[in-house]
Amino acid sequence: MPQNPRHRTLAERDMNTEPNPQLLRSHTFTALRPGRRLIVLGAVHGNEVCGTRAIERVLAELDGGAIAISSGSVTFVPVTNALAYQRKQRVGERNLNRNLRPTAAPADHEDRIANVLCPLLAQHDVLLDLHSFHAPGAPFAMVGPADNTGALEPFAHAAQEESLALRLGPRRLVEGWLDTYAVGVKNRLQRGDPSERAHMLSTDPSYGIGTTEYMRSVGGCAITLECGQHEEPQAVEVAYRAIRNTLAHLQLVDDPPPPPPPCAEPELLRLCEVTDRHHADDHFARVWASYDRVRGGELVGTRHDGTPVRAPADGFIVFPNAKALPGNEWFYFAQPSTRPLRADGAGPSLVR
Ligand SMILES: [Zn+2]
């Protein structure tokens, strides 16, 4: 039915408009009462649209008055990489969620996005980054490191991050992203043509720095929520519920804060190892899903030359991507983490 454009809400117009790759479009709602500053990203990877759809739904509810921001502020970026989104693929010219940082001499589209996205992130206290994944599986959240003063990813807000992660909805949590990358980068340095830009980027010590790592580096806290398989309709509901729970937990809305989950429920895995796909004929031994258990020595896949790739110990496969481009992450190996999770971190209240 034709509709008078004047009567469409902002969010409905968003849904009908192809994003312009030359813009980073954001929507900010700032209450007159001070509070925490939240930013929610969708489609950092262009083929991961559950966050975009969930953000559109929340924007419509904010427009229609079903949700009211009563303190602090929230910024929504429905489509973070519009070029990738337009192409319906993970990346535009490269992966926006790696080597993310401002640069004086941008070399590609994602460098140019970073130059506006990074300052935007730095204006906020908390980031919720909404993604989906390739293989079927249950949703999970990725948290940063425990508090530490190390050189790789120093951090002081782990309790706040944990308490939010425990309230998003999904019960599966993963840690250990950046230090696993540091090892992966060392392995990559042994391979490939270092003159090629893709290789240069993937062997840069900052390769593992994406949106959440950048957010932590500027004093905020951040969670990546993997909402489900790319095509899974339920992933939109997971993303939507996570946004609503975050708004309530951070007390940006007057809804009752979501209760912490029962103690034994969350399942925290620690990423230990990343294995790259080297060749287009490298193939998995079976169809893997995230959180599939493996036994030490079990065959995970076979290289194109017949070399077996085996699990280093008892553990879990995470982020398997049977179609990973050669030179990119094929799968991660994880083990149960012994890190205690604190549900009572009183939401971040960061003074920066
Ligand atoms: Zn993603």
Side-chain angles (χ1 to χ4, degrees):
M1 197 169 68
Q3 233 182 341
N4 183 335
R6 281 174 302 170
H7 294 158
R8 284 187 296 161
T9 68
L10 184 67
E12 282 168 339
R13 286 201 302 272
D14 238 21
M15 277 181 257
N16 296 328
T17 309
E18 267 297 300
N20 177 350
Q22 299 311 315
L23 289 176
L24 185 74
R25 183 173 177 175
S26 63
H27 308 259
T28 299
F29 300 76
T30 307
L32 300 188
R33 194 165 12 133
R36 295 171 186 109
R37 298 165 297 176
L38 168 69
I39 181 166
V40 183
L41 302 182
V44 164
H45 292 133
N47 60 336
E48 302 177 8
V49 299
C50 61
T52 308
R53 299 287 92 80
I55 288 171
E56 287 164 349
R57 183 172 159 196
V58 172
L59 287 175
E61 290 180 343
L62 283 159
D63 274 350
I67 309 175
I69 302 301
S70 55
S71 64
S73 71
V74 56
T75 297
F76 295 96
V77 182
V79 176
T80 310
N81 190 339
L83 180 64
Y85 182 89
Q86 203 173 53
R87 294 177 178 174
K88 296 182 169 35
Q89 61 191 31
R90 181 174 171 81
V91 306
E93 293 176 352
R94 69 172 179 88
N95 190 343
L96 177 61
N97 215 20
R98 306 281 185 274
N99 297 87
L100 184 76
R101 58 194 161 174
T103 169
D108 52 37
H109 187 72
E110 280 72 10
D111 278 358
R112 288 186 286 276
I113 298 175
N115 278 351
V116 288
L117 179 61
C118 291
L120 184 65
L121 290 172
Q123 291 165 21
H124 295 81
D125 302 312
V126 182
L127 163 66
L128 177 62
D129 190 6
L130 299 166
H131 288 246
S132 58
F133 47 80
H134 179 81
F140 59 97
M142 301 182 67
V143 295
D147 287 344
N148 73 92
T149 52
L152 187 67
E153 195 179 21
F155 194 46
H157 302 300
Q160 291 92 329
E161 216 172 78
E162 289 163 15
S163 71
L164 174 58
L166 290 172
R167 287 169 171 88
L168 292 176
R171 290 288 163 260
R172 289 175 163 183
L173 307 178
V174 176
E175 64 162 350
W177 175 263
L178 204 57
D179 36 4
T180 303
Y181 256 89
V183 177
V185 162
K186 266 189 207 152
N187 293 339
R188 276 198 190 121
L189 280 166
Q190 323 286 329
R191 303 182 47 81
D193 172 9
S195 63
E196 187 197 327
R197 177 162 164 81
H199 182 76
M200 195 189 76
L201 283 173
S202 68
T203 52
D204 188 298
S206 307
Y207 183 72
I209 304 216
T211 56
T212 52
E213 293 74 24
Y214 186 81
M215 191 69 183
R216 289 182 204 109
S217 78
V218 291
C221 71
I223 294 173
T224 299
L225 185 63
E226 297 284 348
C227 301
Q229 205 277 336
H230 298 324
E231 316 295 331
E232 167 64 56
Q234 189 59 24
V236 179
E237 191 56 39
V238 171
Y240 171 79
R241 188 39 52 200
I243 296 171
R244 294 297 304 261
N245 287 354
T246 303
L247 291 173
H249 178 62
L250 299 178
Q251 297 171 348
L252 304 187
V253 293
D254 289 334
D255 301 349
C263 285
E265 219 185 330
E267 188 183 358
L268 179 64
L269 292 190
R270 170 164 194 79
L271 297 177
C272 313
E273 225 178 89
V274 54
T275 301
D276 283 355
R277 196 164 179 232
H278 295 161
H279 190 280
D281 292 332
D282 291 358
H283 60 276
F284 282 142
R286 47 164 276 204
V287 177
W288 295 106
S290 270
Y291 277 76
D292 274 350
R293 274 178 192 280
V294 280
R295 294 245 154 249
E298 186 174 339
L299 186 69
V300 178
T302 306
R303 298 286 184 197
H304 74 286
D305 63 0
T307 309
V309 177
R310 299 186 184 278
D314 290 357
F316 299 83
I317 299 293
V318 183
F319 279 133
N321 186 352
K323 293 180 179 166
L325 292 173
N328 285 270
E329 306 94 274
W330 198 16
F331 68 92
Y332 293 75
F333 172 73
Q335 291 186 301
S337 171
T338 52
R339 171 175 162 187
L341 292 172
R342 291 152 292 181
D344 53 355
S349 178
L350 310 176
V351 180
R352 283 186 279 140

